[in-house]
Amino acid sequence: MATAKSTTQSKAHDKVDQAAEAAHNGVDGASAAAAKSEERIEEVAHQISEQAHKMADTAKQQSEKVTNVVGNYAKEHPVKTVGIAFLAGAVAAGLLCKRK
């Protein structure tokens, strides 16, 4: 009887060891997957940051170009510029007054 009990305990102990090993392997696998995911997220975040900086630089350059063109036009045609500004103000005022 002692041998049967010892064999049962040994088998149970082996099963617990196998389950612990499987759990440990699962945790190691999850940890490795998490590390890969973290690296990928950092890489994507870096790429997005670079693209945002490029877009901001492009927008700044375009804004400067438009500002220069408008400034030059205003210097060359001051009367037209005042007229356009007056008309734009009148249209905006008309639209705002109709909404009320």
Side-chain angles (χ1 to χ4, degrees):
M1 180 88 164
T3 306
K5 186 176 179 182
S6 175
T7 303
T8 303
Q9 285 180 343
S10 177
K11 287 181 182 178
H13 191 26
D14 288 343
K15 292 293 181 183
V16 169
D17 286 346
Q18 289 174 357
E21 176 91 21
H24 185 68
N25 289 341
V27 168
D28 287 346
S31 176
K36 287 181 183 177
S37 295
E38 182 180 359
E39 288 174 7
R40 180 67 180 137
I41 289 170
E42 287 176 1
E43 180 181 319
V44 169
H46 182 69
Q47 290 173 352
I48 290 171
S49 175
E50 285 181 352
Q51 289 176 349
H53 285 357
K54 287 178 184 177
M55 290 173 65
D57 289 343
T58 301
K60 183 179 177 183
Q61 290 171 356
Q62 292 296 326
S63 175
E64 289 172 355
K65 286 180 184 178
V66 169
T67 300
N68 288 336
V69 168
V70 170
N72 290 338
Y73 183 84
K75 287 177 185 175
E76 293 172 8
H77 308 285
V79 175
K80 284 183 182 179
T81 303
V82 170
I84 292 170
F86 177 78
L87 288 175
V91 169
L95 292 174
L96 291 174
C97 289
K98 289 181 182 180
R99 289 189 181 180
K100 291 182 180 181

Coordinates of all heavy atoms in Angstrom, one line a residue:
M1 N 0.8 -1.2 0.0 CA 0.0 0.0 0.0 C 0.9 1.2 0.0 O 0.5 2.2 -0.6 CB -0.9 0.0 1.2 CG -1.8 1.1 1.3 SD -3.3 0.8 0.5 CE -4.3 2.0 1.1
A2 N 2.0 1.2 0.7 CA 2.9 2.3 0.8 C 3.4 2.6 -0.6 O 3.7 3.8 -0.9 CB 4.0 2.1 1.8
T3 N 3.7 1.5 -1.4 CA 4.2 1.7 -2.7 C 3.2 2.4 -3.6 O 3.6 3.2 -4.4 CB 4.7 0.4 -3.3 OG1 5.6 -0.3 -2.4 CG2 5.4 0.5 -4.6
A4 N 2.0 2.0 -3.5 CA 0.9 2.5 -4.4 C 0.7 4.0 -4.0 O 0.6 4.8 -4.9 CB -0.4 1.8 -4.1
K5 N 0.8 4.3 -2.7 CA 0.6 5.7 -2.3 C 1.8 6.5 -2.8 O 1.6 7.7 -3.3 CB 0.5 5.8 -0.8 CG 0.2 7.2 -0.3 CD 0.0 7.2 1.2 CE -0.2 8.6 1.7 NZ -0.4 8.7 3.1
S6 N 3.0 6.0 -2.7 CA 4.2 6.6 -3.2 C 4.2 6.9 -4.7 O 4.6 7.9 -5.2 CB 5.4 5.8 -2.8 OG 6.6 6.4 -3.3
T7 N 3.7 5.9 -5.4 CA 3.6 6.0 -6.9 C 2.6 7.0 -7.3 O 2.8 7.8 -8.2 CB 3.2 4.6 -7.5 OG1 4.1 3.6 -7.1 CG2 3.1 4.7 -9.0
T8 N 1.4 7.1 -6.6 CA 0.4 8.1 -6.8 C 0.9 9.5 -6.5 O 0.7 10.4 -7.3 CB -0.9 7.8 -6.0 OG1 -1.3 6.5 -6.3 CG2 -2.0 8.8 -6.3
Q9 N 1.6 9.6 -5.4 CA 2.2 10.9 -5.1 C 3.2 11.3 -6.1 O 3.3 12.5 -6.5 CB 2.8 10.9 -3.6 CG 1.8 10.9 -2.5 CD 2.5 10.8 -1.2 OE1 3.6 10.4 -1.1 NE2 1.7 11.1 -0.1
S10 N 4.0 10.4 -6.5 CA 5.1 10.7 -7.5 C 4.5 11.1 -8.8 O 4.9 12.1 -9.4 CB 5.9 9.4 -7.7 OG 6.9 9.7 -8.7
K11 N 3.4 10.4 -9.2 CA 2.7 10.8 -10.5 C 2.0 12.2 -10.3 O 2.1 13.0 -11.2 CB 1.6 9.8 -10.8 CG 2.2 8.5 -11.4 CD 1.1 7.5 -11.7 CE 1.6 6.2 -12.2 NZ 0.5 5.2 -12.5
A12 N 1.4 12.4 -9.2 CA 0.8 13.7 -8.9 C 1.9 14.8 -8.9 O 1.7 15.9 -9.5 CB 0.1 13.7 -7.6
H13 N 3.0 14.5 -8.3 CA 4.1 15.5 -8.3 C 4.6 15.8 -9.7 O 4.9 16.9 -10.0 CB 5.2 15.0 -7.3 CG 6.3 16.0 -7.0 ND1 6.1 17.3 -7.0 CD2 7.6 15.8 -6.7 CE1 7.2 17.9 -6.7 NE2 8.1 17.0 -6.5
D14 N 4.7 14.7 -10.5 CA 5.2 14.9 -11.9 C 4.2 15.8 -12.6 O 4.6 16.6 -13.4 CB 5.4 13.5 -12.5 CG 6.6 12.8 -12.1 OD1 7.5 13.4 -11.4 OD2 6.6 11.6 -12.3
K15 N 2.9 15.5 -12.4 CA 1.9 16.3 -13.2 C 1.9 17.8 -12.7 O 1.8 18.7 -13.6 CB 0.5 15.7 -12.9 CG 0.2 14.4 -13.5 CD 0.2 14.5 -15.0 CE -0.1 13.1 -15.6 NZ 0.0 13.1 -17.0
V16 N 2.1 18.0 -11.4 CA 2.3 19.4 -11.0 C 3.5 20.1 -11.5 O 3.5 21.2 -12.0 CB 2.3 19.4 -9.4 CG1 2.7 20.8 -8.9 CG2 0.9 19.0 -8.8
D17 N 4.6 19.3 -11.6 CA 5.8 19.8 -12.2 C 5.6 20.2 -13.7 O 6.1 21.2 -14.2 CB 7.0 18.9 -12.0 CG 7.5 18.8 -10.6 OD1 7.2 19.7 -9.8 OD2 8.3 17.8 -10.3
Q18 N 4.9 19.3 -14.4 CA 4.6 19.5 -15.8 C 3.7 20.7 -16.0 O 4.0 21.6 -16.9 CB 4.0 18.3 -16.4 CG 4.9 17.1 -16.6 CD 4.1 15.9 -17.1 OE1 2.9 15.9 -17.3 NE2 4.9 14.8 -17.3
A19 N 2.7 20.9 -15.2 CA 1.8 22.0 -15.2 C 2.6 23.3 -14.9 O 2.4 24.3 -15.6 CB 0.7 21.9 -14.3
A20 N 3.5 23.3 -13.9 CA 4.3 24.4 -13.6 C 5.2 24.8 -14.7 O 5.4 26.0 -15.1 CB 5.1 24.2 -12.3
E21 N 5.8 23.8 -15.4 CA 6.7 24.0 -16.5 C 5.9 24.6 -17.7 O 6.4 25.6 -18.3 CB 7.3 22.7 -17.0 CG 8.2 22.8 -18.2 CD 9.6 23.0 -17.9 OE1 10.1 22.8 -16.8 OE2 10.3 23.5 -18.8
A22 N 4.7 24.1 -17.9 CA 3.9 24.7 -19.0 C 3.5 26.1 -18.7 O 3.5 27.0 -19.6 CB 2.6 23.8 -19.2
A23 N 3.2 26.4 -17.5 CA 2.8 27.7 -17.1 C 4.0 28.7 -17.2 O 3.9 29.8 -17.7 CB 2.3 27.8 -15.6
H24 N 5.1 28.2 -16.8 CA 6.4 29.0 -16.9 C 6.7 29.3 -18.4 O 7.0 30.4 -18.8 CB 7.5 28.2 -16.3 CG 8.8 29.0 -16.2 ND1 9.0 30.2 -15.5 CD2 10.0 28.9 -16.9 CE1 10.2 30.6 -15.7 NE2 10.8 29.9 -16.5
N25 N 6.5 28.3 -19.3 CA 6.8 28.5 -20.7 C 5.8 29.5 -21.3 O 6.1 30.3 -22.1 CB 6.7 27.2 -21.4 CG 7.9 26.3 -21.1 OD1 8.9 26.7 -20.7 ND2 7.7 25.0 -21.4
G26 N 4.5 29.4 -20.8 CA 3.5 30.3 -21.3 C 3.8 31.7 -20.9 O 3.6 32.7 -21.6
V27 N 4.3 31.9 -19.6 CA 4.6 33.3 -19.1 C 5.8 33.8 -19.9 O 5.9 35.0 -20.3 CB 4.9 33.2 -17.6 CG1 5.6 34.5 -17.2 CG2 3.7 33.0 -16.8
D28 N 6.8 32.9 -20.2 CA 8.0 33.3 -21.0 C 7.5 33.8 -22.4 O 8.0 34.8 -22.9 CB 9.0 32.2 -21.1 CG 9.7 32.0 -19.8 OD1 9.7 32.9 -18.9 OD2 10.4 31.0 -19.6
G29 N 6.6 33.0 -23.0 CA 6.1 33.3 -24.3 C 5.4 34.6 -24.3 O 5.5 35.5 -25.2
A30 N 4.5 34.8 -23.3 CA 3.8 36.1 -23.2 C 4.7 37.3 -23.0 O 4.5 38.3 -23.6 CB 2.8 36.0 -22.1
S31 N 5.7 37.1 -22.2 CA 6.7 38.1 -22.0 C 7.4 38.5 -23.3 O 7.6 39.7 -23.6 CB 7.7 37.7 -20.9 OG 8.7 38.7 -20.7
A32 N 7.8 37.5 -24.0 CA 8.5 37.7 -25.3 C 7.6 38.5 -26.3 O 8.0 39.4 -27.0 CB 9.0 36.4 -25.9
A33 N 6.4 38.0 -26.3 CA 5.4 38.7 -27.2 C 5.2 40.1 -26.8 O 5.1 41.0 -27.7 CB 4.1 37.9 -27.2
A34 N 5.1 40.4 -25.5 CA 4.9 41.7 -25.0 C 6.1 42.6 -25.4 O 5.9 43.8 -25.8 CB 4.7 41.7 -23.5
A35 N 7.3 42.1 -25.3 CA 8.5 42.8 -25.6 C 8.5 43.2 -27.1 O 8.8 44.3 -27.5 CB 9.7 42.0 -25.2
K36 N 8.1 42.2 -27.9 CA 8.1 42.5 -29.4 C 7.0 43.5 -29.7 O 7.2 44.4 -30.5 CB 7.8 41.2 -30.1 CG 8.9 40.2 -30.2 CD 8.6 39.0 -31.0 CE 9.7 38.0 -31.0 NZ 9.4 36.7 -31.7
S37 N 5.9 43.4 -29.0 CA 4.8 44.4 -29.2 C 5.3 45.8 -28.8 O 5.0 46.8 -29.5 CB 3.5 44.0 -28.4 OG 3.0 42.8 -28.9
E38 N 5.9 45.9 -27.7 CA 6.4 47.2 -27.2 C 7.4 47.8 -28.2 O 7.3 49.0 -28.5 CB 7.1 47.0 -25.8 CG 7.6 48.3 -25.2 CD 8.2 48.1 -23.9 OE1 8.3 47.0 -23.4 OE2 8.7 49.1 -23.3
E39 N 8.3 46.9 -28.7 CA 9.3 47.4 -29.7 C 8.6 48.0 -30.9 O 8.9 49.0 -31.5 CB 10.3 46.3 -30.1 CG 11.2 46.0 -29.0 CD 12.1 44.8 -29.3 OE1 12.0 44.3 -30.5 OE2 12.8 44.3 -28.5
R40 N 7.6 47.2 -31.4 CA 6.8 47.6 -32.6 C 6.0 48.9 -32.4 O 6.0 49.8 -33.2 CB 5.9 46.5 -33.0 CG 5.1 46.8 -34.2 CD 5.9 46.9 -35.5 NE 5.1 47.2 -36.6 CZ 5.4 48.0 -37.6 NH1 6.6 48.6 -37.6 NH2 4.6 48.3 -38.6
I41 N 5.4 49.0 -31.2 CA 4.7 50.2 -30.9 C 5.6 51.4 -30.8 O 5.3 52.5 -31.4 CB 4.0 50.1 -29.5 CG1 2.8 49.1 -29.7 CG2 3.5 51.4 -29.0 CD1 2.1 48.7 -28.4
E42 N 6.8 51.3 -30.2 CA 7.8 52.4 -30.2 C 8.2 52.7 -31.6 O 8.4 53.9 -31.9 CB 9.0 52.0 -29.3 CG 8.7 51.9 -27.9 CD 9.9 51.4 -27.0 OE1 11.0 51.1 -27.6 OE2 9.8 51.3 -25.8
E43 N 8.4 51.7 -32.4 CA 8.8 52.0 -33.8 C 7.8 52.8 -34.6 O 8.1 53.8 -35.3 CB 9.1 50.7 -34.5 CG 9.6 50.8 -36.0 CD 9.8 49.4 -36.6 OE1 10.3 48.5 -35.9 OE2 9.4 49.3 -37.8
V44 N 6.5 52.4 -34.4 CA 5.4 53.0 -35.1 C 5.3 54.5 -34.6 O 5.1 55.4 -35.4 CB 4.1 52.2 -35.0 CG1 2.9 53.0 -35.4 CG2 4.2 50.9 -35.8
A45 N 5.4 54.6 -33.3 CA 5.3 56.0 -32.7 C 6.4 56.9 -33.2 O 6.1 58.1 -33.5 CB 5.3 55.9 -31.2
H46 N 7.6 56.3 -33.4 CA 8.7 57.1 -33.9 C 8.4 57.5 -35.4 O 8.6 58.7 -35.7 CB 10.0 56.3 -33.8 CG 11.2 57.1 -34.3 ND1 11.7 58.1 -33.6 CD2 12.0 56.9 -35.4 CE1 12.8 58.6 -34.3 NE2 12.9 57.8 -35.4
Q47 N 7.9 56.6 -36.1 CA 7.6 56.9 -37.5 C 6.5 58.0 -37.6 O 6.6 58.9 -38.4 CB 7.1 55.6 -38.3 CG 8.2 54.6 -38.5 CD 7.7 53.3 -39.1 OE1 6.5 53.1 -39.2 NE2 8.6 52.4 -39.5
I48 N 5.5 57.9 -36.8 CA 4.4 58.8 -36.8 C 4.9 60.2 -36.4 O 4.6 61.2 -37.0 CB 3.2 58.4 -35.9 CG1 2.5 57.2 -36.5 CG2 2.3 59.5 -35.6 CD1 1.5 56.5 -35.6
S49 N 5.8 60.2 -35.4 CA 6.4 61.5 -35.0 C 7.2 62.1 -36.1 O 7.1 63.3 -36.3 CB 7.3 61.2 -33.7 OG 8.0 62.4 -33.4
E50 N 8.0 61.3 -36.8 CA 8.8 61.9 -37.9 C 7.8 62.4 -39.0 O 8.1 63.5 -39.5 CB 9.7 60.8 -38.5 CG 10.9 60.5 -37.7 CD 11.7 59.4 -38.3 OE1 11.3 58.8 -39.3 OE2 12.8 59.1 -37.8
Q51 N 6.8 61.7 -39.3 CA 5.8 62.2 -40.3 C 5.1 63.5 -39.9 O 5.0 64.4 -40.7 CB 4.8 61.1 -40.6 CG 5.3 59.9 -41.4 CD 4.3 58.8 -41.6 OE1 3.2 58.8 -41.0 NE2 4.6 57.8 -42.4
A52 N 4.8 63.5 -38.6 CA 4.1 64.8 -38.1 C 5.1 66.0 -38.2 O 4.7 67.1 -38.6 CB 3.7 64.6 -36.7
H53 N 6.4 65.7 -37.9 CA 7.3 66.8 -38.0 C 7.5 67.3 -39.5 O 7.6 68.5 -39.8 CB 8.7 66.4 -37.4 CG 8.8 66.4 -36.0 ND1 7.7 66.8 -35.1 CD2 9.8 66.1 -35.1 CE1 8.1 66.7 -33.9 NE2 9.3 66.2 -33.8
K54 N 7.5 66.3 -40.4 CA 7.7 66.6 -41.8 C 6.4 67.4 -42.3 O 6.6 68.4 -43.0 CB 7.8 65.3 -42.6 CG 9.2 64.7 -42.5 CD 9.3 63.4 -43.3 CE 10.6 62.7 -43.1 NZ 10.6 61.4 -43.9
M55 N 5.3 67.0 -41.8 CA 4.0 67.7 -42.2 C 4.0 69.1 -41.7 O 3.6 70.0 -42.3 CB 2.8 66.9 -41.8 CG 2.6 65.6 -42.5 SD 1.3 64.6 -41.9 CE -0.1 65.6 -42.1
A56 N 4.5 69.2 -40.4 CA 4.5 70.6 -39.8 C 5.5 71.5 -40.6 O 5.2 72.7 -40.8 CB 4.9 70.5 -38.3
D57 N 6.6 70.9 -40.9 CA 7.6 71.7 -41.7 C 7.0 72.1 -43.0 O 7.2 73.3 -43.5 CB 8.9 70.9 -41.9 CG 9.7 70.8 -40.6 OD1 9.4 71.5 -39.6 OD2 10.6 69.9 -40.6
T58 N 6.4 71.2 -43.7 CA 5.7 71.5 -45.0 C 4.7 72.6 -44.9 O 4.6 73.5 -45.7 CB 5.1 70.2 -45.6 OG1 6.2 69.2 -45.8 CG2 4.5 70.5 -47.0
A59 N 3.8 72.4 -43.8 CA 2.8 73.4 -43.6 C 3.4 74.8 -43.3 O 2.9 75.8 -43.8 CB 1.9 73.0 -42.4
K60 N 4.5 74.8 -42.6 CA 5.1 76.1 -42.2 C 5.7 76.7 -43.5 O 5.5 77.9 -43.7 CB 6.3 75.9 -41.2 CG 7.0 77.1 -40.8 CD 8.0 76.8 -39.8 CE 8.8 78.1 -39.4 NZ 9.9 77.8 -38.5
Q61 N 6.3 75.9 -44.4 CA 6.9 76.4 -45.6 C 5.7 77.0 -46.5 O 5.9 78.1 -47.1 CB 7.6 75.4 -46.4 CG 8.9 75.0 -45.7 CD 9.6 73.7 -46.3 OE1 9.0 73.1 -47.2 NE2 10.8 73.4 -45.8
Q62 N 4.6 76.2 -46.6 CA 3.5 76.7 -47.4 C 2.9 78.0 -46.9 O 2.6 78.9 -47.6 CB 2.4 75.6 -47.5 CG 2.9 74.4 -48.3 CD 3.1 74.7 -49.8 OE1 2.5 75.5 -50.4 NE2 4.1 74.0 -50.3
S63 N 2.8 78.0 -45.6 CA 2.3 79.2 -44.9 C 3.1 80.5 -45.2 O 2.7 81.5 -45.5 CB 2.2 79.0 -43.4 OG 1.8 80.2 -42.8
E64 N 4.5 80.3 -45.2 CA 5.4 81.3 -45.5 C 5.3 81.8 -46.9 O 5.3 83.0 -47.2 CB 6.8 80.9 -45.1 CG 7.1 80.8 -43.6 CD 8.5 80.2 -43.3 OE1 9.2 79.8 -44.3 OE2 8.8 80.1 -42.1
K65 N 5.1 80.8 -47.8 CA 4.9 81.2 -49.2 C 3.7 82.0 -49.5 O 3.7 83.0 -50.2 CB 4.9 79.9 -50.1 CG 6.2 79.2 -50.3 CD 6.0 78.0 -51.2 CE 7.3 77.2 -51.3 NZ 7.2 76.0 -52.1
V66 N 2.6 81.5 -48.8 CA 1.3 82.2 -49.0 C 1.4 83.6 -48.4 O 0.9 84.6 -49.0 CB 0.1 81.4 -48.4 CG1 -1.1 82.3 -48.3 CG2 -0.1 80.2 -49.2
T67 N 2.0 83.7 -47.3 CA 2.2 85.0 -46.6 C 3.0 86.0 -47.5 O 2.6 87.2 -47.7 CB 2.9 84.9 -45.2 OG1 2.1 84.0 -44.4 CG2 3.1 86.2 -44.6
N68 N 4.0 85.5 -48.1 CA 4.9 86.3 -49.0 C 4.1 86.7 -50.2 O 4.1 87.9 -50.6 CB 6.1 85.5 -49.4 CG 7.1 85.4 -48.3 OD1 7.1 86.2 -47.4 ND2 8.0 84.4 -48.4
V69 N 3.3 85.8 -50.8 CA 2.5 86.2 -52.0 C 1.5 87.2 -51.7 O 1.3 88.2 -52.4 CB 1.9 84.9 -52.6 CG1 0.9 85.2 -53.7 CG2 3.0 84.0 -53.2
V70 N 0.8 87.0 -50.6 CA -0.3 88.0 -50.2 C 0.4 89.3 -49.8 O -0.2 90.4 -50.2 CB -1.1 87.4 -49.0 CG1 -2.0 88.5 -48.4 CG2 -1.9 86.2 -49.4
G71 N 1.5 89.3 -49.1 CA 2.2 90.5 -48.8 C 2.6 91.3 -50.0 O 2.4 92.5 -50.1
N72 N 3.2 90.5 -51.0 CA 3.6 91.2 -52.2 C 2.4 91.8 -53.0 O 2.5 92.9 -53.6 CB 4.4 90.2 -53.1 CG 5.7 89.9 -52.5 OD1 6.3 90.6 -51.7 ND2 6.3 88.7 -52.9
Y73 N 1.3 91.0 -53.1 CA 0.1 91.5 -53.8 C -0.4 92.8 -53.1 O -0.8 93.7 -53.8 CB -1.0 90.4 -53.8 CG -2.2 90.8 -54.6 CD1 -2.2 90.7 -55.9 CD2 -3.3 91.4 -53.9 CE1 -3.3 91.1 -56.7 CE2 -4.4 91.8 -54.6 CZ -4.4 91.7 -56.0 OH -5.5 92.1 -56.7
A74 N -0.4 92.7 -51.8 CA -0.9 93.9 -51.0 C 0.0 95.1 -51.3 O -0.5 96.3 -51.4 CB -1.0 93.6 -49.5
K75 N 1.3 94.9 -51.4 CA 2.2 96.1 -51.7 C 2.0 96.6 -53.1 O 2.1 97.8 -53.4 CB 3.6 95.6 -51.5 CG 4.0 95.4 -50.0 CD 5.4 94.9 -49.9 CE 5.8 94.6 -48.4 NZ 7.1 94.0 -48.3
E76 N 1.8 95.7 -54.0 CA 1.6 96.0 -55.4 C 0.3 96.6 -55.7 O 0.1 97.5 -56.6 CB 1.9 94.8 -56.3 CG 3.3 94.4 -56.3 CD 3.5 93.0 -57.1 OE1 2.6 92.6 -57.8 OE2 4.6 92.5 -57.0
H77 N -0.8 96.2 -55.0 CA -2.2 96.6 -55.3 C -2.8 97.0 -54.0 O -3.8 96.3 -53.5 CB -2.9 95.5 -56.0 CG -2.3 94.9 -57.2 ND1 -2.2 95.6 -58.4 CD2 -1.6 93.8 -57.4 CE1 -1.6 94.9 -59.3 NE2 -1.2 93.8 -58.7
P78 N -2.4 98.1 -53.4 CA -3.0 98.4 -52.1 C -4.5 98.8 -52.1 O -5.3 98.4 -51.2 CB -2.2 99.6 -51.6 CG -1.6 100.2 -52.8 CD -1.4 99.0 -53.8
V79 N -5.0 99.4 -53.2 CA -6.4 99.8 -53.3 C -7.2 98.5 -53.4 O -8.3 98.4 -52.8 CB -6.6 100.8 -54.4 CG1 -8.1 101.1 -54.6 CG2 -5.8 102.1 -54.2
K80 N -6.8 97.6 -54.3 CA -7.6 96.4 -54.5 C -7.6 95.6 -53.2 O -8.6 95.0 -52.8 CB -6.9 95.5 -55.6 CG -7.2 96.0 -57.0 CD -6.5 95.0 -57.9 CE -6.7 95.4 -59.4 NZ -6.1 94.5 -60.3
T81 N -6.5 95.6 -52.4 CA -6.4 94.8 -51.2 C -7.4 95.4 -50.2 O -8.1 94.6 -49.5 CB -5.0 94.9 -50.6 OG1 -4.1 94.4 -51.6 CG2 -4.9 94.1 -49.3
V82 N -7.5 96.7 -50.1 CA -8.5 97.3 -49.2 C -9.9 97.0 -49.6 O -10.8 96.7 -48.8 CB -8.3 98.9 -49.1 CG1 -9.4 99.5 -48.3 CG2 -6.9 99.2 -48.4
G83 N -10.2 97.0 -50.9 CA -11.5 96.7 -51.4 C -11.9 95.3 -51.1 O -13.0 95.0 -50.7
I84 N -10.9 94.3 -51.3 CA -11.2 92.9 -51.1 C -11.5 92.7 -49.6 O -12.4 92.0 -49.2 CB -10.0 92.0 -51.5 CG1 -9.9 92.1 -53.1 CG2 -10.1 90.6 -51.0 CD1 -8.7 91.4 -53.6
A85 N -10.7 93.4 -48.7 CA -10.9 93.2 -47.3 C -12.2 93.8 -46.9 O -12.9 93.2 -46.1 CB -9.8 94.0 -46.5
F86 N -12.6 94.9 -47.5 CA -13.9 95.5 -47.2 C -15.1 94.6 -47.6 O -16.0 94.4 -46.8 CB -14.1 96.9 -47.9 CG -15.4 97.5 -47.7 CD1 -15.7 98.1 -46.5 CD2 -16.4 97.4 -48.7 CE1 -17.0 98.7 -46.3 CE2 -17.7 98.0 -48.5 CZ -18.0 98.6 -47.3
L87 N -15.0 94.0 -48.8 CA -16.0 93.1 -49.3 C -16.1 91.8 -48.4 O -17.2 91.4 -48.1 CB -15.8 92.7 -50.7 CG -16.0 93.8 -51.8 CD1 -15.6 93.4 -53.2 CD2 -17.5 94.2 -51.7
A88 N -14.9 91.3 -48.0 CA -14.9 90.1 -47.2 C -15.6 90.4 -45.8 O -16.4 89.6 -45.3 CB -13.5 89.6 -47.0
G89 N -15.3 91.6 -45.3 CA -15.9 92.0 -44.0 C -17.4 92.2 -44.2 O -18.2 91.8 -43.3
A90 N -17.9 92.8 -45.3 CA -19.3 93.0 -45.5 C -20.0 91.7 -45.7 O -21.1 91.5 -45.1 CB -19.5 93.9 -46.8
V91 N -19.4 90.7 -46.4 CA -20.0 89.4 -46.6 C -20.1 88.7 -45.2 O -21.2 88.1 -44.9 CB -19.2 88.6 -47.6 CG1 -19.7 87.1 -47.6 CG2 -19.4 89.2 -49.0
A92 N -19.1 88.7 -44.5 CA -19.1 88.1 -43.1 C -20.1 88.7 -42.2 O -20.9 88.0 -41.5 CB -17.7 88.2 -42.5
A93 N -20.2 90.0 -42.2 CA -21.2 90.7 -41.4 C -22.6 90.4 -41.8 O -23.5 90.1 -41.0 CB -21.0 92.2 -41.4
G94 N -22.8 90.3 -43.1 CA -24.1 89.9 -43.7 C -24.5 88.5 -43.3 O -25.7 88.3 -42.9
L95 N -23.6 87.6 -43.4 CA -23.9 86.2 -43.0 C -24.2 86.1 -41.5 O -25.1 85.4 -41.0 CB -22.7 85.3 -43.4 CG -22.5 85.1 -44.8 CD1 -21.3 84.3 -45.1 CD2 -23.7 84.4 -45.5
L96 N -23.4 86.8 -40.7 CA -23.6 86.8 -39.2 C -24.9 87.4 -38.8 O -25.6 87.0 -37.9 CB -22.5 87.4 -38.5 CG -21.1 86.7 -38.6 CD1 -20.0 87.5 -38.0 CD2 -21.2 85.4 -37.9
C97 N -25.3 88.5 -39.5 CA -26.6 89.2 -39.1 C -27.8 88.4 -39.5 O -28.8 88.4 -38.9 CB -26.7 90.6 -39.8 SG -25.5 91.8 -39.1
K98 N -27.7 87.6 -40.6 CA -28.8 86.8 -41.0 C -29.0 85.6 -40.1 O -30.1 85.0 -40.0 CB -28.6 86.3 -42.5 CG -28.7 87.4 -43.5 CD -28.5 86.8 -44.9 CE -28.7 87.9 -45.9 NZ -28.5 87.5 -47.3
R99 N -28.0 85.1 -39.4 CA -28.1 84.0 -38.6 C -28.9 84.3 -37.3 O -29.5 83.4 -36.7 CB -26.7 83.4 -38.2 CG -26.1 82.8 -39.3 CD -24.8 82.1 -38.9 NE -24.2 81.4 -40.0 CZ -23.1 80.8 -39.9 NH1 -22.4 80.6 -38.8 NH2 -22.5 80.2 -41.0
K100 N -28.9 85.5 -36.9 CA -29.5 85.9 -35.6 C -31.0 85.9 -35.7 O -31.8 86.0 -36.4 CB -29.0 87.2 -35.1 CG -27.6 87.1 -34.6 CD -27.1 88.4 -34.1 CE -25.7 88.3 -33.6 NZ -25.2 89.5 -33.0

